Every structure is written in structure tokens, then in C-alpha cells.
Amino acid sequence: MSPAEEDKSLPLPERWPRASKFALSACAAAVAELVTFPLDLTKTRLQVQGEAAVHRNGAAAGQAVPYRGMLRTAAGIVQEEGLRKLWQGATPAVYRHIVYSGVRMVAYEHLRDSVLGRSEDESFPFWKAVVGGMSAGAIGQFFASPTDLVKVQMQMEGKRKLEGKPLRFRGVHHAFMKILSEGGIRGLWAGWVPNVQRAALVNMGDLTTYDSVKHFLLLNTPLVDNSVTHSVASCCSGLVAAVLGTPADVVKTRIMNQPRDKQGRGLLYKSSMDCLIQTVQGEGFMSLYKGFIPTWMRM
């Protein structure tokens, strides 16, 4: 049998390992996104509630929505907009996860095998795993940023309708085309800086905390290496990732959701740093942690 024929006889995952991993990780991420999407929508609505820059610039037309916690916000969406609206923006969210998860996985494997390299004993040092994870997460998020932009703006459409504002989009395709026509290619990457920062911080917190907590539990408690240990380690790593990433996520959401002029320039914030400063000055430091609970629950 020739090498070409032997190659064709191999199972698909062995013939195209990276493509197979890309497809499997993208499908798994899409399912997880659909299941937890109501938490993401609730988080986004919480992050823009009480936005000081909106009121300072007189951009809040209609009756302002009172500040509500996670449960009241979710219940309010169901009562005022309908149950299906808990999944408004789910389509670009699935697109985002397909791009982000796939690119992150391929980038991490390339960094691990070709850039950072393994040790002589074929192990992969912890610090290299952290650097590789942060870098791969940042790269994946950069490529997925346009889908995140559309997702955030579509998630806010129901709130705009309640405030008496006109809807911006008729669907996902229309959203992409409208943003592209108004702001050009650069407009699709509005808010990419805090978006990439958030991805890097979340990956760092997740990677460093999970292994540390798991090793601590195995060494200092009666727990063994089972699902309970992994669950506790996952909860702790999710907590640290949420603490590190939520401020950048709040800034990202506000940058992406702000109104823009005909050239696609933001009317409320000049940059990510300007948004951060206005948020802290107008609403206090803890406003950077709006939506923290649903963020942690999703992780």
C-alpha cells in the first residue's frame, strides 16, 4: 500500500488533527454558548445600567430603566420583552465562539510546539503554559471581536425599544453590513483593545488558579482526583478569572454599545482609558464589576 493510500485509510482525526480539534471545540463551545446565553444577555444589560456618560450627555431618551440586580433584570427581560428575547444576539455569539475557540486552540498548539517549545523531557513548563494561554486567548479574541461587537449591540436592541429608540438592525447580516458601511473595516473592531485585554486576563486567571487549587486540594485535603475536586478547582478559577476580567469586560461593552456619528466615531468615549476614567468618576470603582455574578456563573 502506497503512503498516500495509507494516509487515506487513517481515521479523519488522525489525518487532519488540528482541523478535527477545531471542529469539535467549536461545536462544543457553540452548545455551551446557547445554554448559558441568558446569563450573558443579563450581564450585558447590567453592565450598561446607570451609565454615567449617557446621562451626562443627555443621550438617554425616554424613561430610564431603574437599576436592577441579576434576577430582576432577567425577570424584567422576560416580562417586558418576552422569553425568546433572552436569546437575542445568540447567533453572533455562536459565530464568536466558533472563531474564538478555534483560533485560540490552533494558536496555542502552534505556540506550544513551534514557538515556546517543550523541555528536554517533553514536559511543558507552567510559565510557558500561562504565556501561551494568554497569547492564544488574545489572538483568538482579536479575530472574533467583530462578532462580539454585533452580539453586544443586538443584545441592547430590546432595551432601546423600551426606551422609545429606533432599532438599529434587522438581523445579523444587516448589523455587519451597517457597521461596515458606517465605520469601515476599523469600525468592526471597535472595542477590540479591552476585549483582547479581557481574554488575556481571563485565560491567565483560569490557567494559573485551576492547577494551583487542584494541587492544593490533593495535597492538603482528603479529596482525591475526581469530579468534586475538578468542580471546586473550576469554581475557584472562574472566580479569579471573573475578578480579573470583569472591569475590561464592562469597558468593552460600553465602548461597543455607545452611539456613533456618521463616520463611526464614538460619541461618549474617546478611548478605552477614557471610558474607564468616566465610569469610575461617575459611578464609583465598583461599577467596574457590574454583571460580575452572571460572568462568574458562566465561567
Side-chain angles (χ1 to χ4, degrees):
M1 185 181 292
S2 66
E5 291 176 336
E6 287 183 6
D7 198 40
K8 288 183 180 179
S9 66
L10 291 173
L12 193 62
E14 294 183 23
R15 288 162 59 189
W16 296 296
R18 288 190 175 178
S20 300
K21 287 181 180 179
F22 183 103
L24 289 172
S25 63
C27 290
V31 172
E33 180 66 29
L34 289 173
V35 172
T36 62
F37 190 78
L39 286 171
D40 188 69
L41 177 66
T42 304
K43 175 210 71 174
T44 301
R45 295 288 182 92
L46 285 169
Q47 288 176 338
V48 297
Q49 282 185 9
E51 194 171 359
V54 172
H55 301 293
R56 185 161 52 248
N57 287 271
Q63 185 177 1
V65 178
Y67 184 82
R68 300 180 288 198
M70 182 185 75
L71 295 178
R72 289 187 62 193
T73 297
I77 293 170
V78 175
Q79 293 171 357
E80 297 161 3
E81 305 170 40
L83 181 64
R84 290 179 59 189
K85 294 299 181 181
L86 285 173
W87 279 269
Q88 188 166 31
T91 301
V94 171
Y95 294 164
R96 180 253 177 197
H97 258 298
I98 291 173
V99 175
Y100 172 70
S101 299
V103 172
R104 181 182 62 170
M105 182 206 69
V106 173
Y108 181 76
E109 291 196 352
H110 177 72
L111 289 169
R112 181 191 64 195
D113 299 334
S114 305
V115 179
L116 297 171
R118 296 178 181 271
S119 300
E120 293 181 0
D121 60 354
E122 289 300 310
S123 64
F124 196 55
F126 179 68
W127 72 268
K128 288 187 177 182
V130 173
V131 172
M134 290 181 65
S135 302
I139 293 168
Q141 190 60 71
F142 176 78
F143 281 99
S145 199
T147 57
D148 233 344
L149 175 66
V150 172
K151 181 200 75 170
V152 167
Q153 294 199 6
M154 291 190 71
Q155 285 177 327
M156 297 306 300
E157 289 294 84
K159 183 173 181 286
R160 287 177 62 86
K161 188 174 182 180
L162 291 176
E163 293 174 347
K165 298 177 183 178
L167 299 182
R168 292 173 289 193
F169 312 121
R170 295 192 298 270
V172 179
H173 180 263
H174 180 245
F176 276 110
M177 296 309 297
K178 185 177 180 181
I179 294 169
L180 184 63
S181 64
E182 292 178 352
I185 294 294
R186 289 183 61 185
L188 287 172
W189 268 267
W192 74 268
V193 173
N195 212 6
V196 167
Q197 290 172 341
R198 174 195 170 275
L201 290 168
V202 165
N203 276 277
M204 181 183 71
D206 195 19
L207 286 167
T208 56
T209 308
Y210 180 85
D211 282 336
S212 299
V213 171
K214 189 178 78 170
H215 290 152
F216 176 84
L217 292 173
L218 293 176
L219 290 173
N220 298 281
T221 69
L223 292 175
V224 295
D225 193 358
N226 55 21
S227 59
V228 175
T229 304
H230 288 280
S231 297
V232 174
S234 295
C235 287
C236 292
S237 64
L239 175 62
V240 173
V243 169
L244 292 174
T246 298
D249 197 34
V250 170
V251 172
K252 174 213 78 173
T253 298
R254 295 185 173 197
I255 289 284
M256 289 182 169
N257 184 59
Q258 68 174 327
R260 300 181 179 275
D261 60 19
K262 293 182 180 179
Q263 285 73 44
R265 294 174 298 195
L267 298 177
L268 301 180
Y269 309 110
K270 298 176 183 177
S271 64
S272 301
M273 186 57 66
D274 181 46
C275 178
L276 178 68
I277 293 170
Q278 287 196 51
T279 300
V280 173
Q281 288 180 343
E283 304 164 54
F285 178 78
M286 291 308 297
S287 62
L288 295 174
Y289 285 91
K290 287 183 176 180
F292 175 81
I293 298 298
T295 298
W296 181 21
M297 291 176 67
R298 287 193 83 215
M299 291 180 178

